[in-house]
Amino acid sequence: EAQVTQNPRYLITVTGKKLTVTCSQNMNHEYMSWYRQDPGLGLRQIYYSMNVEVTDKGDVPEGYKVSRKEKRNFPLILESPSPNQTSLYFCASSLNVGTGYNEQFFGPGTRLTVL
Amino acid sequence: DAKTTQPNSMESNEEEPVHLPCNHSTISGTDYIHWYRQLPSQGPEYVIHGLTSNVNNRMASLAIAEDRKSSTLILHRATLRDAAVYYCILHPWADRGSTLGRLYFGRGTQLTVWP
């Protein structure tokens, strides 16, 4: 089944404790992206990757890191999480953003709480 | 970055048509108009997209103004399952200063469907 998976689905952690949220897709998509969703603010893009080894900042990249060493994986790294990073996170992938037809497939979400 | 403006919320009765508006006055000639929706407790899902002409698919229709500065997503017969947040986003199909992958979802329109 074609899908985007995220792990963990739920995570409670403490301030300053490094964590990684994994994202994997099995559709051979070139494009992958991370979003966070907060009440009243909609979806905001954190980072995106056009292809392997190519990443770029979205609207709210501060406090996050990403890497794209292989096509299928796009982990989101919080080196020193803070309470304002408590949010619902979505990973998405798309075949190719260069065509205009860019149906993004979203993962189920990761709910992160930083105490 | 080209952005969109949508009403915060709209309501409809079941089996009635729904017209969800979106303003995108700064749209570029290289921007596709995409619509996604997010059902409760799920990640967003693709609904429809278009460039200049009106589009129909099994889920909805997309009506695009002649000047492309606005568009309307049309649900022909709303059902309770259509209750969701609907996002209108612009997606470039050609690179504009390295913003090809940068997508702005905004807050969307919360659609309530009454039985």
Side-chain angles (χ1 to χ4, degrees):
Chain A
E1 180 190 355
Q3 60 182 350
V4 177
T5 57
Q6 296 178 226
N7 283 292
R9 294 289 314 279
Y10 303 90
L11 178 61
I12 300 175
T13 188
V14 295
T15 300
K17 186 176 181 182
K18 180 179 179 180
L19 67 91
T20 299
V21 183
T22 65
C23 173
S24 182
Q25 50 91 6
N26 62 0
M27 297 169 278
N28 201 36
H29 284 171
E30 290 186 354
Y31 177 89
M32 297 185 75
S33 182
W34 276 103
Y35 298 87
R36 62 176 288 173
Q37 185 169 37
D38 303 289
L41 296 178
L43 280 161
R44 293 180 293 169
Q45 192 177 41
I46 304 171
Y47 269 95
Y48 63 94
S49 170
M50 301 289 281
N51 212 326
V52 175
E53 302 293 358
V54 180
T55 63
D56 213 339
K57 297 176 181 178
D59 287 323
V60 287
E62 295 77 22
Y64 304 94
K65 286 176 59 177
V66 292
S67 68
R68 187 91 182 273
K69 293 183 170 53
E70 3 168 44
K71 204 170 192 178
R72 63 182 295 125
N73 296 323
F74 189 45
L76 179 70
I77 303 156
L78 285 72
E79 294 269 2
S80 182
S82 63
N84 64 13
Q85 292 178 299
T86 292
S87 187
L88 178 58
Y89 291 87
F90 288 101
C91 178
S93 73
S94 175
L95 181 62
N96 187 315
V97 297
T99 64
Y101 172 53
N102 178 42
E103 178 180 354
Q104 289 192 71
F105 294 84
F106 283 79
T110 295
R111 186 166 292 282
L112 172 65
T113 301
V114 183
L115 302 174
Chain B
D1 295 334
K3 291 186 170 61
T4 61
T5 304
Q6 300 176 252
N8 289 334
S9 62
M10 292 186 66
E11 298 182 357
S12 174
N13 294 318
E14 204 174 7
E15 299 197 2
E16 289 185 355
V18 181
H19 291 234
L20 297 164
C22 180
N23 287 318
H24 29 78
S25 58
T26 60
I27 191 170
S28 162
T30 56
D31 287 332
Y32 272 80
I33 301 160
H34 287 244
W35 283 81
Y36 283 76
R37 73 178 185 180
Q38 186 175 19
L39 301 171
S41 302
Q42 295 187 25
E45 63 176 354
Y46 167 84
V47 176
I48 200 167
H49 79 283
L51 184 61
T52 56
S53 304
N54 295 344
V55 184
N56 300 298
N57 67 18
R58 64 175 179 81
M59 289 181 71
S61 295
L62 176 60
I64 301 173
E66 197 168 330
D67 62 5
R68 298 205 332 123
K69 294 184 184 296
S70 65
S71 61
T72 302
L73 179 70
I74 302 166
L75 307 178
H76 295 284
R77 291 182 66 193
T79 69
L80 297 178
R81 286 174 48 85
D82 290 323
V85 178
Y86 287 79
Y87 296 97
C88 165
I89 71 169
L90 301 181
H91 190 274
W93 61 267
D95 199 350
R96 289 186 285 116
S98 301
T99 62
L100 196 59
R102 190 162 175 174
L103 302 178
Y104 178 78
F105 268 76
R107 303 181 187 186
T109 296
Q110 174 70 61
L111 175 65
T112 300
V113 180
W114 299 103

